[in-house]
Amino acid sequence: MIKAKTFHIKIDGHFKLVPSKKLLFTNEEKGNQRVFKISQLPKGKDLIEMLSKKLPFIENASTSEFKDLFTVLRDNAETKASYIVLMVLSTVLATFGLFANSNPIVIGAMILAPLISPVISLSMGTLRQDRSLIKDSLITISWGLFFSYLAAIVLTLITPLYAVNSEISSRLEPNLLDLGVAVVSGAAGAYAHANTNVAKTLAGVAIAVALVPPLAVSGIGIGWGDWSVFIGAFLLLITNLTGMVLSGAFTFLLMGYSPFKIAKKGLLISLIIVLAVSIPLGYGFVQVVKENSIVNSIDQTQVDDLIIKDVEIIQKKPLKLSIKLVAEKTPTDADLEKVKNTIEKRLQKKVSLEININLEK
């Protein structure tokens, strides 16, 4: 073994060095030379572990890094009173926000929710096929959902409101776009837990964005006895949960927290569940595309002196639209009938209209 305080490396040709997060640059440069710190390079067991195998394509977590993260995730998987209390409070706040049709209140509930902890622990348990971690995480998530549903149902029963407003209806028809939100949220949560330089609270907000509102909406559906509301919101909840677990596990894999031979079984099971859930989501996405096509084909259409604006779909079967007509004078019944015929001809189907008239002079 050769030891020296300083090594000089001469390179003939082109060479690019990509240092790891532990190989830090100094600000000192001497001519064409760059100086690196090596005081934090792996030592002892970590060094032996790195030298015992080929250099991986992606960075592998060291034994000490894995130990620290795994300790945190095991602790997060345990059911605690603080977790249950925050879950209930965030669900109650979200339920109030949904009834009030208030997006800021719903966002406040997202920030309060602690759902990131057991979900990310479940991701690691799935990746490592750790039955104990999977079991503890599922138990914690289940208790959180149980008490949250109970709170949402009780609040719904004592609240004399039965209107499906925009905040509620927006969570009743999940599609592939919602799955995309879940995947990004899960990846953010896993990365934040593994990277101490990233604030975990930011990832917690991302996780809560996808889980708390549909949880509250499905609880409202049970309280109303409206199973279409419950099923739609519950499908969104399951979609987001499975998507987060899969993407969180895959993120941990890319960060080197498990060899693929151990991870492949858990990833395969998670992928199958996500694909199964994606079937109704694909149908929902097709419906969204169709609705968008209907709106775009009619919006800004001019019928004589009338301009159609602000097209909204109120009902799908039979099709009912809300439109705004901009005109210089009050349209006659014949004008309105012509507008209706124009829309039906363009859509090639019968429609009923809810018309608002805006007179401009």
Side-chain angles (χ1 to χ4, degrees):
M1 180 180 293
I2 301 175
K3 294 183 178 180
K5 291 184 178 180
T6 305
F7 287 94
H8 295 276
I9 303 174
K10 183 179 180 181
I11 301 171
D12 293 322
H14 298 283
F15 179 79
K16 184 178 180 181
L17 176 63
V18 182
S20 73
K21 61 186 177 183
K22 291 189 175 182
L23 187 59
L24 305 179
F25 286 114
T26 65
N27 295 323
E28 182 181 0
E29 292 193 11
K30 298 179 179 180
N32 295 326
Q33 297 178 345
R34 302 187 74 176
V35 182
F36 296 90
K37 289 182 178 180
I38 62 171
S39 59
Q40 297 187 47
L41 286 175
K43 301 175 183 178
K45 292 182 179 179
D46 290 343
L47 177 60
I48 295 173
E49 180 183 346
M50 291 184 66
L51 295 176
S52 63
K53 50 191 176 183
K54 295 181 179 179
L55 186 65
F57 179 73
I58 56 176
E59 181 182 352
N60 283 334
S62 66
T63 302
S64 58
E65 288 174 329
F66 178 79
K67 182 179 178 181
D68 293 340
L69 176 60
F70 207 78
T71 299
V72 172
L73 295 181
R74 280 202 178 279
D75 181 65
N76 290 343
E78 296 179 0
T79 306
K80 300 176 183 177
S82 58
Y83 170 80
I84 299 297
V85 170
L86 287 177
M87 277 294 299
V88 171
L89 290 177
S90 62
T91 305
V92 169
L93 186 59
T95 306
F96 276 125
L98 291 165
F99 279 136
N101 201 27
S102 173
N103 187 253
I105 297 177
V106 175
I107 292 175
M110 297 171 185
I111 297 174
L112 184 62
L115 288 175
I116 185 174
S117 302
V119 170
I120 300 303
S121 296
L122 181 59
S123 294
M124 180 64 83
T126 301
L127 181 72
R128 300 283 303 184
Q129 288 295 284
D130 188 316
R131 294 185 178 180
S132 175
L133 188 58
I134 292 174
K135 178 182 176 182
D136 291 343
S137 301
L138 287 175
I139 289 175
T140 298
I141 292 172
S142 298
W143 278 119
L145 293 178
F146 173 77
F147 284 106
S148 296
Y149 268 121
L150 194 61
I153 293 169
V154 171
L155 184 58
T156 301
L157 291 174
I158 63 177
T159 303
L161 295 174
Y162 300 94
V164 179
N165 54 45
S166 59
E167 283 293 324
I168 294 176
S169 63
S170 64
R171 284 146 183 127
L172 299 183
E173 298 177 349
N175 56 64
L176 293 176
L177 299 177
D178 297 300
L179 180 60
V181 173
V183 168
V184 174
S185 298
Y191 180 76
H193 266 73
N195 191 331
T196 56
N197 296 323
V198 180
K200 293 184 177 66
T201 53
L202 296 179
V205 173
I207 296 280
V209 164
L211 286 175
V212 171
L215 168 60
V217 172
S218 57
I220 291 173
I222 296 176
W224 284 348
D226 189 332
W227 299 112
S228 62
V229 171
F230 168 75
I231 292 173
F234 186 73
L235 176 59
L236 177 57
L237 176 64
I238 296 301
T239 297
N240 292 333
L241 184 60
T242 54
M244 287 175 185
V245 172
L246 175 62
S247 63
F250 187 70
T251 301
F252 281 137
L253 175 66
L254 292 181
M255 298 183 75
Y257 284 94
S258 175
F260 184 72
K261 62 181 179 181
I262 294 178
K264 61 182 180 181
K265 182 179 179 181
L267 290 175
L268 180 61
I269 294 174
S270 299
L271 181 60
I272 291 173
I273 295 175
V274 170
L275 290 177
V277 174
S278 297
I279 295 175
L281 298 183
Y283 174 77
F285 183 72
V286 171
Q287 295 302 112
V288 170
V289 173
K290 288 182 178 179
E291 292 175 12
N292 188 63
S293 176
I294 290 174
V295 171
N296 289 336
S297 65
I298 300 172
D299 198 45
Q300 300 299 323
T301 297
Q302 185 165 349
V303 182
D304 294 335
D305 295 329
L306 305 175
I307 300 176
I308 301 173
K309 291 185 176 182
D310 299 343
V311 181
E312 293 183 12
I313 298 176
I314 300 176
Q315 183 177 302
K316 297 176 183 177
K317 293 183 180 181
L319 183 60
K320 182 178 181 180
L321 304 177
S322 170
I323 64 173
K324 180 172 75 173
L325 289 181
V326 179
E328 293 184 357
K329 60 181 181 179
T330 303
T332 63
D333 290 343
D335 293 330
L336 298 180
E337 187 65 27
K338 190 171 184 179
V339 169
K340 184 174 184 295
N341 292 336
T342 300
I343 293 175
E344 289 180 340
K345 184 177 180 180
R346 184 161 295 185
L347 298 180
Q348 296 184 343
K349 63 174 66 177
K350 293 289 183 180
V351 299
S352 58
L353 298 177
E354 183 180 286
I355 302 175
N356 296 309
I357 300 173
N358 187 6
L359 296 179
E360 292 184 352
K361 294 184 179 180

